[in-house]
Amino acid sequence: MDLERAVQREGVTFSLFGLRRDSFSERYHLTRRGKAKRLREIVRIAKQFDIFHGLTPVKMRLMFEALGPTFVKVGQILSMRSEMLPQSFCDELSKLRADADPMPYQTVVDTLAKEYGRPIDEIFSSIDSKPLGSASLAQVHRATLTTGEDVAVKVQRPGVRETMAQDVAIMRSLAKVAAKLFPDTQIIDFKGVVEELWDTFEAETDFLVEARNLAAFKKFSKAYKYMDCPAPYAELCTEHVVVMDYVDGISVSHPGRLLDAGYDLKEIGTKLVDNYATQILDEGFFHADPHPGNIIVRGGQIVLIDLGMTGRLDQRTRTVLKDMLFAVAQQDSPALADSLLRFAVASPDSEDYPSLLADLDMVVQEFGTVDLSELDIAAFLTSLTQLASRHGIEIPSSITTVGRALVTLEGLLDEFIPNVNMIQIISAHIAASQTPETMVKNEAKSLAIEGRQALHDAMAALTEMKHATRMLTRGQLRVNMELVGSEEPFQQLSDMVNRLTMALIVVGLFIGSSIVYYAGIKPVVFGIPIVGFMGYIVAFALGCWIVLDILIKGRRKKH
């Protein structure tokens, strides 16, 4: 699968208008004419919003909504990339939702008939013509199967995959060209956004992935009393259609209705956050888009729907994330700094390490000592991302997904269920899960993973030592040694030697020319033998060059 994905990724690096075809172009029927048409449409919409005379945060959000689902997704990704955009733009882009005008009911029926290849009345006894929800990617209708089950049918909009493929191909090509033209600018970060979009594109437009996510989430949620999700009907799910149980409940976006039904909002918020902590920290499999429309309360249970976007965390990442969140909750600055450093995929440059520690101290001072009720998770994650970007540290993409989900959940709580502190609940969850048995189990898993890696590293080191010993016995071993911080002193020493050498040459030329002068060798110029005259000229020029070199480099050091 990794090889196939790599081949696909290489196959889509075509030019802006697709001068050469590849498997991806053929799969989504991308043509040069189609991409040119889509590019003209993008330019037309951009002109409508008059972006060439200034782009405000609100105008950017509205333009992304007008451009369609691909740009809505780009905006949602950019909303978490404050190292690329001002915070005001990030705040506005975080409001992006994929809501759209409903597509005609007949289009839904035709799509279902085409997808199943048979009359839909053989599968559904009825389909409600009024959609439950309509987004830019798909539309959901309530229906009843011929076997009597009450279901929800999610139908992908026709042609949306091809449109998204065209958009991503165009953006990827533009980012590639821009990276060559401006190699030292933040366009590299834009390439990262496009690659992130590219990685999630096929998963989100392939509804079989969502069906598998529903099945996996349903399986592990059985062990938890207050967590659930609709069960998929695998035999009726296709690339463009998902059929699942219909969930009849109340969305958390309607707190008034929840109160009328006898629910306690604080209890719902507490259970919701605790369930989410279970997903992220205990199971490592979580809903990556917990906005209000995806969370329904039914029979005292919190039911999560629309699992098209999910995230996964391995054991090591979950352990580090627990340590970091617990350190924030306990206001333990040293532990928080240690956790932040452990998040780095690559070790920081040794020369940059003091600066990195100084920036970490600032983050710890700002967020590690505030009251939990005042902790701004979005600002904390933004500071962490900016710090990592400044020091060239690559944070795992799974952590970015967790951050985006936590910010979404925090916004939901602030708007609909206030007075519920997310960090306090998560820290209590972590503390409760730290039983001796759990700690031993987790440590055993971590040690097993780290031990396996250490064993492989040790074997690799022994192999390298074998090669080095063989080369040493044959007299073929060479040692390259670099003294960190020695470049400048060695350069100064080199300059001194060069100047001393030039000074000796100048002195030699003056002495030699004077000997020729007193020898009276002919021919002469201005009463001086021509050989001596040329020696004086060269010596004078070299002397002036030495003086100028000393003055110029002295000024540079002062600046």
Side-chain angles (χ1 to χ4, degrees), residues 467-537:
H467 293 321
T469 304
R470 181 180 299 173
M471 294 175 66
L472 180 63
T473 56
R474 296 179 180 181
Q476 298 173 334
L477 186 64
R478 295 182 180 180
V479 178
N480 294 324
M481 184 174 62
E482 179 182 358
L483 299 178
V484 177
S486 63
E487 293 83 359
E488 185 175 353
F490 277 126
Q491 184 61 43
Q492 292 178 349
L493 180 61
S494 176
D495 290 341
M496 292 172 58
V497 172
N498 290 339
R499 289 172 186 169
L500 181 60
T501 302
M502 295 300 295
L504 290 175
I505 293 174
V506 170
V507 171
L509 287 172
F510 269 113
I511 293 175
S513 299
S514 299
I515 293 173
V516 172
Y517 171 74
Y518 285 108
I521 300 174
K522 294 182 180 181
V524 298
V525 177
F526 302 116
I528 303 173
I530 191 169
V531 176
F533 181 78
M534 294 300 297
Y536 283 131
I537 293 295

Side-chain angles (χ1 to χ4, degrees), residues 373-440:
S373 60
E374 300 175 357
L375 181 63
D376 188 337
I377 292 181
F380 171 68
L381 294 172
T382 296
S383 296
L384 177 63
T385 303
Q386 290 176 337
L387 183 149
S389 177
R390 284 197 304 270
H391 294 279
I393 297 175
E394 181 185 356
I395 293 179
S397 59
S398 57
I399 299 303
T400 304
T401 305
V402 170
R404 191 159 55 240
L406 288 177
V407 171
T408 302
L409 186 62
E410 184 184 40
L412 180 153
L413 295 173
D414 290 342
E415 184 175 359
F416 299 106
I417 312 177
N419 303 320
V420 173
N421 187 274
M422 186 164 67
I423 290 295
Q424 284 181 334
I425 299 171
I426 293 177
S427 63
H429 178 95
I430 297 173
S433 65
Q434 297 297 318
T435 62
E437 294 81 5
T438 305
M439 292 177 65
V440 170

Side-chain angles (χ1 to χ4, degrees), residues 108 112 116 123-124 126-128 130-133 139-145 148-156 207 210-211 214 229-234 236-238 240-248 296 298 303 305-306:
V108 175
L112 288 172
Y116 292 122
I123 303 172
F124 305 100
S126 66
I127 301 177
D128 193 347
K130 184 179 179 181
L132 296 171
Q139 190 162 295
V140 181
H141 288 258
R142 186 175 182 178
T144 303
L145 297 178
E149 291 90 347
D150 197 9
V151 297
V153 183
K154 184 176 180 180
V155 182
Q156 190 173 120
F207 285 177
E210 180 174 352
L214 285 169
C229 78
Y233 291 76
L236 298 178
C237 296
T238 70
H240 306 96
V241 177
V242 177
V243 180
M244 68 196 93
D245 286 334
Y246 173 72
V247 179
D248 188 9
I296 296 175
R298 178 193 63 183
V303 183
I305 62 174
D306 191 2

Side-chain angles (χ1 to χ4, degrees), residues 297-340:
V297 179
R298 178 193 63 183
Q301 281 188 319
I302 295 172
V303 183
L304 301 179
I305 62 174
D306 191 2
L307 271 79
M309 291 178 60
T310 60
R312 295 183 182 273
L313 299 175
D314 58 26
Q315 177 66 37
R316 176 185 175 277
T317 304
R318 296 203 302 273
T319 301
V320 178
L321 185 59
K322 284 181 182 180
D323 292 343
M324 187 185 75
L325 293 174
F326 197 62
V328 174
Q330 296 297 315
Q331 299 181 2
D332 188 344
S333 299
L336 178 58
D338 179 65
S339 297
L340 291 175

Side-chain angles (χ1 to χ4, degrees), residues 264-278:
D264 183 345
L265 292 183
K266 188 170 183 179
E267 181 184 5
I268 290 174
T270 302
K271 289 179 179 177
L272 174 60
V273 176
D274 189 69
N275 285 348
Y276 213 76
T278 299

Side-chain angles (χ1 to χ4, degrees), residues 7 16 19 40 68 81 181 231 269 303 323 402 412 418 423 430 523 551:
V7 171
L16 183 58
L19 297 180
R40 287 195 297 269
R81 304 295 290 270
L181 295 176
V303 183
D323 292 343
V402 170
L412 180 153
I423 290 295
I430 297 173
L551 293 175

